[in-house]
């Protein structure tokens, strides 16, 4: 038997509901949950002594259930005479539980008669769209609710809060001076007869006297006890939409494994947060097929370690899943611009979302206990040294963080892309004038790709002066290392952002001299001018990060891979020089187009593809390579030992041989 309407407009037709309840018979039809799921919220906002009006009651048992626990003044109305007749017959032995056939938009009750108007699904049924006739009907409903409620009375509405419904509700009641509080009812979700998995909300609109100059009061809770005050109507809409979008993702995760489709990432924010508070990435084992039998846990990544390959890359998280012994992990990363009290507090904040990410979880069943894992007993040792804003790069922070090896590292992080540490230096603890201080270790390369880019410089390094151009300064670690490693080198570093030069100098101990100079200029313009003026370099290195990785390209920005810029770069190179490109790209098509463009400019190209990173380092020569990559590794290892930069090899030659790609 088909009990669903053929068109959404049917919901507002009396004839539809009469037919519906005749077909349905005595079986109760519950919109958005029953008493056990809703009572936790209803008992807070409806007192047993309140005179309560239930509009659009249908044949729900909610009023009867409230009556049985002490609510003895409940009046129910519905436009369907059929259902009212049914419910009157059931309520004969319950004095005070009344049923009347009445249109909620044209009620005959006297003014200010009720303390509470309870609406479970009626607003949704009456407002399938925003057509003018629909809006007129809803305005009439709200006017009647206003009229029959006492001062400080409450309109308690259970709804899915589609955007057009929420928008109009907020407009109407804020315009009347009422306070609006929106609570998410997690217990009521997954409870409708249609089998929908949508977030269910309870809206409490409290009737207040409108005061001149008063601001609307909007509050939202995402579940639990915490209620957040919203600054604007738009912020309220966005807070609800975020919950709805998240619920949709969680619903899909409940029912299937994401192993074959990649990872799913959700960002969690509190209302008013400029930046997300948590990033939760769901990773499944490729062996997991049946969600009903999957073992699930959450994993909290300590602050300062989110960039590590194991936590910060899809490949690493797959290893983490395998090593954990679970089929699905919700990997929780913390964001730098927020403060976190403890692992326990973080667990409490994220537990509701984590619970809904569990495979095959049903909110109506017993609440499962989700294990929370980590690799530390606390949230990590991270100290913010400074923060600032660049007109070009946006907000950033400088932090000292403890790595997995208990070593301290100084990091530059742009908040627009927190998963990427833009620059990293190791810190040394030294004694100076009787004081213990932290200083930057200038003999440390913070990234594996910097090791191989330095190896590229080795190919052209001689005892005679040679000139290296580095596009992209960052914290200056690569430039400083090259400066210290090769005594005859002259390094010119170009960066568009003067703030970054300030950061590199003040916090990463970059020091300019006759062999290391910086230029603040757009690298694109610099390359074009250098090529046109005939300036030549022995090596040109591209180490520029892209603030916009939405195209799947993190380094360099796409503009640096255009044909005219690559041609200008080749024009800046000496005939025996090498172009070293750090390409961080997850899109095969971009990589292929870059390869084709480079092949038109260079005769000899080799690459090193880093296994634990997305980085691929291109070594390009106009004619024939002056030195093989293995020979360059041997030469670089000898130099760093001779210069006493480190005692062991910088480049693992055996590993290098497995990473080399040539065409």
């Amino acid at each position: 038997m088909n009990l669903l309407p053929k068109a959404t407009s049917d919901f507002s037709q009396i004839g539809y509901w009469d037919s519906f309840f005749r077909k349905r018979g005595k079986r109760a039809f519950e919109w958005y949950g029953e008493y056990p799921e809703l009572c936790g919220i209803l008992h807070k906002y409806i007192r047993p002594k309140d005179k309560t009006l239930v509009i659009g009651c249908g044949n729900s048992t909610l009023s009867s259930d409230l009556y049985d626990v002490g609510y003895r003044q409940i009046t129910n109305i519905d436009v369907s005479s059929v259902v009212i007749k049914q419910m009157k017959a059931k309520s004969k032995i319950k004095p005070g539980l009344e049923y009347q056939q009445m249109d909620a938009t044209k009620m005959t009750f006297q003014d200010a008669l009720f303390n509470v108007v309870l609406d479970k699904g009626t607003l949704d049924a009456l407002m399938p769209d925003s057509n003018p006739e629909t809006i007129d009907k809803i305005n009439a409903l709200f006017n009647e609710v206003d009229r029959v409620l006492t001062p400080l009375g409450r309109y308690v509405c259970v709804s899915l809060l589609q955007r057009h419904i929420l928008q109009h509700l907020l407009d109407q009641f804020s315009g009347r001076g009422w306070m609006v509080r929106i609570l998410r009812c997690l217990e009521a979700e997954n409870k409708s007869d249609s089998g929908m998995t949508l977030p269910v909300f309870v809206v409490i609109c409290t009737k207040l006297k409108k005061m001149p100059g008063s601001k609307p009061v909007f509050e939202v809770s995402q579940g639990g006890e915490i209620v957040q005050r919203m600054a604007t109507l738009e912020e309220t809409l966005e807070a609800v939409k975020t919950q709805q979008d998240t619920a949709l993702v969680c619903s899909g995760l409940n029912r299937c494994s994401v192993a074959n489709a990649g990872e799913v990432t959700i960002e969690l924010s509190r209302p008013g947060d400029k930046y997300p508070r948590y990033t939760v990435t769901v990773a499944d084992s490729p062996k997991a097929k049946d969600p009903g039998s999957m073992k699930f846990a959450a994993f909290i990544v300590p602050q300062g370690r989110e960039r590590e390959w194991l936590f910060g890359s899809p490949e690493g998280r797959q290893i983490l899943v395998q090593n954990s012994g679970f089929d699905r992990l919700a990997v929780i990363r913390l964001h730098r611009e927020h403060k976190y009290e403890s692992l326990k507090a973080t667990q409490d904040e994220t537990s509701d979302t984590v619970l809904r990410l569990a495979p095959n979880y049903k909110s109506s069943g017993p609440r499962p206990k989700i294990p929370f894992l980590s690799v530390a007993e606390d949230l990590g040792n991270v100290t913010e040294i400074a923060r600032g804003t660049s007109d070009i790069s946006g907000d950033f922070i400088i932090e000292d963080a403890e790595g997995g090896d208990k070593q301290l590292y100084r990091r530059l992080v742009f908040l627009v892309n927190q998963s990427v540490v833009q620059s990293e230096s190791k810190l040394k603890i030294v004694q100076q004038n009787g004081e213990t201080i932290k200083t930057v270790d200038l003999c440390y390369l913070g990234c594996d790709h910097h090791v191989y880019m330095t190896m590229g410089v080795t190919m052209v390094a001689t005892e005679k002066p040679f000139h290296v151009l580095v596009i992209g300064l960052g914290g200056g670690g690569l430039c400083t290392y090259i400066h210290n490693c090769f005594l005859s080198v002259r390094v010119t570093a170009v960066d568009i952002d003067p703030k970054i030069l300030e950061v590199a100098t003040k916090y990463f101990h970059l020091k300019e001299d006759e062999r290391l100079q910086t230029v603040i200029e757009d690298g694109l313009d610099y390359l074009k001018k250098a090529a046109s003026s005939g300036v030549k370099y022995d090596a040109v290195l591209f180490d520029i990060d892209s603030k916009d990785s939405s195209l799947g390209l993190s380094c360099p920005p796409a503009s640096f891979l255009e044909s005219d810029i690559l041609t200008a770069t080749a024009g800046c190179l000496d005939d025996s020089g090498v172009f070293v490109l750090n390409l961080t790209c997850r899109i095969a098509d971009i990589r292929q187009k870059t390869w084709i463009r480079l092949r038109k400019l260079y005769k000899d190209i080799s690459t090193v593809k880093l296994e634990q990173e997305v980085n691929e380092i291109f070594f390009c020569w106009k004619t024939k390579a002056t030195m093989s990559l293995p020979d360059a590794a041997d030469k670089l290892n000898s130099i760093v030992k001779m210069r006493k930069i480190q005692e062991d090899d910088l480049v693992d030659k055996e590993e290098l041989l497995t990473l080399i790609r040539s065409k």
Side-chain angles (χ1 to χ4, degrees), residues 30 34-36 61-71 94:
E30 298 292 352
E34 302 178 67
Y35 171 77
T61 63
L62 179 61
S63 295
S64 179
D65 291 332
L66 286 169
Y67 185 94
D68 291 342
V69 294
Y71 292 79
K94 294 185 177 182

Side-chain angles (χ1 to χ4, degrees), residues 165-176 218 233:
I165 291 176
L166 178 58
Q167 174 85 57
H168 194 66
L169 184 149
L170 294 176
D171 283 336
Q172 283 289 305
F173 286 105
S174 64
R176 300 168 192 263
F218 303 121
L233 185 151

Side-chain angles (χ1 to χ4, degrees), residues 140-173:
L141 172 68
F142 289 162
N143 288 336
E144 284 293 271
V145 168
D146 189 349
R147 183 181 66 79
V148 301
L149 274 177
T150 61
L152 299 181
R154 297 165 301 285
Y155 173 47
V156 180
C157 178
V158 185
S159 169
L160 298 182
L161 289 186
Q162 291 173 275
R163 191 173 183 88
H164 70 283
I165 291 176
L166 178 58
Q167 174 85 57
H168 194 66
L169 184 149
L170 294 176
D171 283 336
Q172 283 289 305
F173 286 105

Side-chain angles (χ1 to χ4, degrees), residues 554-590:
S554 300
C555 294
S559 55
F560 281 87
L561 298 178
E562 294 296 331
S563 296
D564 61 332
I565 298 302
L566 293 177
T567 299
T569 302
C572 296
L573 272 177
D574 185 80
D575 288 341
S576 59
V578 61
F579 171 46
V580 184
L581 166 66
N582 172 32
L583 181 69
T584 308
C585 175
R586 294 186 180 275
I587 308 300
D589 184 56
I590 295 177

Side-chain angles (χ1 to χ4, degrees), residues 234-390:
E234 291 72 22
E235 189 176 282
T236 307
L237 288 169
E238 190 59 32
V240 172
K241 182 179 183 299
T242 298
Q243 295 188 53
Q244 291 167 331
D245 291 346
T246 301
L248 185 63
V249 173
C250 293
S251 173
L253 288 172
N254 293 162
R255 292 166 172 77
C256 65
S257 169
V258 300
N260 295 327
E263 299 178 328
V264 171
T265 296
I266 295 174
E267 290 184 334
L268 306 181
S269 301
R270 298 171 301 190
D273 282 345
K274 182 179 180 181
Y275 296 102
R277 183 164 173 81
Y278 299 99
T279 295
V280 183
T281 301
V282 179
D284 284 358
S285 167
K287 298 178 181 179
K289 302 299 181 183
D290 177 19
S293 61
M294 292 172 66
K295 294 187 295 181
F296 174 61
F299 189 99
I300 300 174
V301 180
Q303 286 181 292
R305 299 190 62 183
E306 60 280 339
R307 182 180 174 271
E308 293 180 18
W309 178 78
L310 190 63
F311 312 124
S313 69
E315 298 81 4
R317 287 188 285 268
Q318 276 300 309
I319 299 298
L320 189 63
V321 171
Q322 294 175 28
N323 292 343
S324 71
F326 290 87
D327 301 304
R328 171 176 291 174
L329 281 185
V331 181
I332 302 170
R333 287 171 284 168
L334 286 59
H335 285 243
R336 292 169 169 82
E337 59 272 59
H338 296 283
K339 299 294 183 182
Y340 304 91
E341 295 179 9
S342 63
L343 277 172
K344 178 63 168 59
T346 294
Q347 178 177 335
D348 291 343
E349 278 193 303
T350 58
S351 59
D352 282 334
T353 298
V354 166
L355 186 63
R356 304 199 68 77
L357 295 172
N360 209 28
Y361 165 61
K362 296 292 184 182
S363 60
S364 59
R367 186 183 181 93
K369 185 175 182 180
I370 306 296
F372 275 77
L373 315 174
S374 188
V375 290
E377 296 180 356
D378 52 38
L379 291 174
N381 181 6
V382 177
T383 302
E384 183 179 306
I385 302 302
R387 69 171 53 216
T389 300
S390 161

